[in-house]
Amino acid sequence: MDYLTIIQILDSMLRLSAPLIFACLAGLFSERSGIFDIGLEGKMLASAFFSAAVAAATGSVWLGLMAGLTASMVLAAIHGFASITFQGNQLISGVAINFLASGMTALIGQNWFRLGGRTPSLSGDGRFLPIEFPFAESIGKIPFLGPIYSELLSGHTILVYVALLTVPFTWWLLFKTRFGLRLRAVGENPEAVDTGGVSVSFLRYRAVLICGLLCGLGGAYLATGMAAGFIRDMTAGKGFIALAALIFAKWRPAYALYACLLFGFLEAIAIRYQNITIEGVGTIPVQFMQALPYILTIVILAGLVGKAIPPKAGGEPYVKER
Amino acid sequence: MDTKVQHDSAAPMIELRGISKSFGPVQANKNINLKVNKGSIHGIVGENGAGKSTLMSILYGFYKSDSGEIYINGKHINITDSHVAIEAGIGMVHQHFKLVENFTVLENVILGTENSFLINPALNNARVLLSDLASTYSLEVNPDALIEDLSVGHQQRVEILKALYRQADILILDEPTGVLTPAEADHLFNILRNLSKEGKTIILITHKLKEIMSVTDTVSVMRRGEMTATLETSKTNPQELAELMVGRSVLLRVEKDTTEVGDKSLEVHDLSVTDKRGVTALKNVSFHVRKGEILGIAGVAGNGQTELLEALGGISPATGTMKIDGEEIPLLGKGSDARSKREYGVSHVPEDRQKLGLILDFFAWENIAFGYHHKDEFNRNWLLMDNGKTREIAREEMAKFDIRPPTPNNLVKNFSGGNQQKIVLARELEQHPKVLIVGQPTRGVDIGAIEFIHQKIIDLRNKGVAILLVSVELDEIFSLSDRVAVLFDGKIIGERITEETNESELGLLMAGIEDGSGEQPVMESVA
C-alpha cells in the first residue's frame, strides 16, 4: 500500500463521512434538547429526493438544496409537533417519518419522472461540483505534504467543507452561547429550564428545526454532491449509522466528527478493497467489507464500547401539570 | 437599592386572595388567603398532600390557579409563568432541586438569566457575585464544581444562590430540611435569619414543627387544601399546631369487643430502609403484633410510613428481621418479593391503591385475582386460566363486600374510590391471611364505605388475625387499634395502649416531642 493510496482512501473517507457528520450533528441538536430522533434517515431521504428532483427540473442545484432543506424541515416540524406539542412517543413518530419518507419519495419520484423512483441524472449546474483549491496542481508536486493539500483537502464539493465547519460551530454554539446552555439544560432537566422562566417547548422546537436543517444538508449532499441524482432508498441506513456514531461520540461534537470519520473510513476501505486476501485465512468476501460499518453500528449500539449516558430527559415528553 | 419608594408602605409583601386549584377531581387548594409582611419569615405547616407545595408552585407560576389573585408589594400581579414570578422578585427552592446535574454551579446559576448571547460575561459576573454572597450569607460553594459532585446541602445552597442571583426579594423554600443533616439544617436556618435581616421575605414550607418554632415569625396551618389558621409563632406551641394539622373531625367509632390476644404473630426487629437518594427513611424500627390485635402506626405523613409498608409488603428491600409466627422471612434478596410474602400468609393493602393495588384499566374480576392468579382456584390447568370461574369468584366476593355495582365485567377505574378499596380488601381478605398489613385504608373513601371497611378490619381481628394498620388519620387509629406506635422521622418515638392515651399525647409524639423531655407539659385532652 503506497502513500498515495492512503491519501486516496482518506480522501474518500472525507467524502463518505460528510453526510454522516451532518446527520450526526442533527441528531446531536435534537437529542441534546431531549427529543430522540430516529427519523434522521427519513429526513435525509426526503431532502435527497426533493433536492435532486428540483435540481433536475430547474437545473439549479441551489434551488434543489432549498427544496431539500424545506422538505427535511417540514418533517422535522412534524416530529416536533408529535413529540413536543402532543407529547407523543418520539420513537413511533420517528419510525413513521422514516416510512413516510421512504414511501413518499418512491411514489412521487415514479409519478414525476417515470424512472422507477429515480430522478434523472444531474449534470452541470444541477450538481455540486468539486472545488479545486488554488495551486493544487503545483503544490501537489511537493513530496509528502503536497498530496495532502491537493488530493485530500482539495477537490471536494462545498457541502463537505460545510460539514467539517459545522463541527466547531456546533461546539461553539453548544458551549459558549446562551442558546447552547439552555439547549443542554433542557435535555438534562427541563424543569430547571422551566423554573428559570424559559419556555421548554420553544427551545425544543428550535433544536428540532436545526436537526431538520442539518439532515437536509446531508440528504442534499447525497443526491447532488456525492451522487448525481436520487435513487430509491439511497440513504441506506446512514441515518441509523449517524445515530450509532452519536452514541459512540457520547453526544459531543468533536467526538461525533471522529466517529463519523471512522465510519467513513470503513466505507472507503470497503469500496477500495473489494477482496482482501489474508495469508492463511483466504479471501475475505466483499460483502463482509461492505457490512463492516453496519457491524460496527451493532457493536456500538450493544454498548460494547463503554457506557454512554444519554441526555437524562431524552425521550420523555415534558409534562408540567401532574 | 433596598429603599425603593413603595406606593403603599403598609401593604404586605405577599398577599394571596381566594386561591383555588384542582387537579382533576382532587381539590389541592381551596380558597386560600394569606398575608406575609416584608422581612419576615413565614412558615406553612401541614401534612404531606395538604396543598402547601401546590400553593407555592402557584405563587411561583409553575401551576396556574383556577381562581384567586396574587398581590406582591401591594401590586396585583398575574403570574402566568415562572418568568413573571422571577420578574416580580420571587425565588423558589423546590423540594426536589431543579438543577442540571452535569452543569457547574455557575452554569446553573445563570441558566435563564444569561443577559447576552454569549455566556462568558454572565459566568464572570456570577463568579464575582457568588463570592460576595458567600461572605454575606455564609453561602460558600465552589462555583466550578459539578452539581452531581456536591452534597445535597451544597446543592440547596446553589438553589438559594440562583434565586439571589435573580435578585429575589421573596424566597420560598419547600421542605428544605427533608434531605439535610441536622448540622446542615442549622446552617440553613442561620442563612435564612441573615436573609430576613437584609429585608428578604421568606416562606418556609415544612411539616416539622420544631423548625417552625425555631425560625419563623408567623405560621399558617394547612389541612386538606384549606388554610385552617394563621398565627404568630411566639403565641402558639407545637401541640396546638399539631392539632390544627391533624384536625379533629367527627369520630366514627366502631363497635369493638375486647378479644383474647394470642401469641406474637408478626415480629419486626431493627428494620431500616435507605432510599435511592441515600437518605435513611426508617431507622431500627422494632415492634410486634399479636394474633387478634391491631397495632396502629400513627404519625404525620412522610415520616417513614410508606417505606414501612413497602418493606413489609415485599415491594422494596430493607434490612433487619421480620418473623411470622416465629419463622424468619427475608426482607432482602431472594424470597423477599411480594409474592413470597403472600405465600407466608402476609396480605398487603397498599396505601396507594390506584398505583400498587389495582390495574385501573382492567376488569374487576381480573383485579380480584391479581397476585393470586397462579393459585389453583383461578386456573383450569397448568396453561389456561379459568376466566369463567374467576368471574364467579369475583361475583361472590363483590356481593360479600357490598361492592357497587356488583358487576365483575366493569373496569376498575369506573368504580368509586371506596368501592375500589373494597375490591383490594376483598382480594386480600378472601385469601385468609395470617397477617394483614394495611395502609391508609380509608383515604379518599366516602363515609359509608369507611364504616364498612372498618368493620371488616375489626372482624378480621376478632378472627385472630394480626393486623398492622398504618394511618395518618388519628381518628382511624383511635377507633381501630388496640395499641398505637408513633412514627417520627423514621423511628418509633413512642408506643401506647390506645385506651390509656389521648389525642394530645399522640399529637405531641407526632410532632417529635418525646415524653419526659420536659419541653412541653402534657395537657388534658380538649376534645
Side-chain angles (χ1 to χ4, degrees), chain A residues 172-173 175-178 181-182 184-185 188-189 191-192 194-198 312 318 320-322, chain B residues 21 23 54 60 62-63 82-83 86 94 98-103 107 111-112 114-119:
Chain A
W172 176 79
L173 198 61
F175 294 101
K176 293 289 162 190
T177 70
R178 171 170 60 191
L181 182 79
R182 291 175 177 186
R184 287 183 289 133
E188 287 292 329
N189 186 357
E191 288 193 331
D194 198 4
T195 51
V198 179
K312 217 174 281 164
Y318 180 58
K320 184 153 70 170
E321 301 270 327
R322 53 179 171 169
Chain B
K21 171 77 182 170
F23 295 102
T54 305
Y60 190 62
F62 210 55
Y63 296 140
S82 299
H83 191 72
I86 293 167
H94 291 85
K98 313 286 184 195
L99 297 170
V100 183
E101 298 226 316
N102 58 0
F103 273 23
E107 286 175 321
L111 182 65
E114 303 89 346
N115 292 329
S116 63
F117 182 68
L118 292 178
I119 55 176

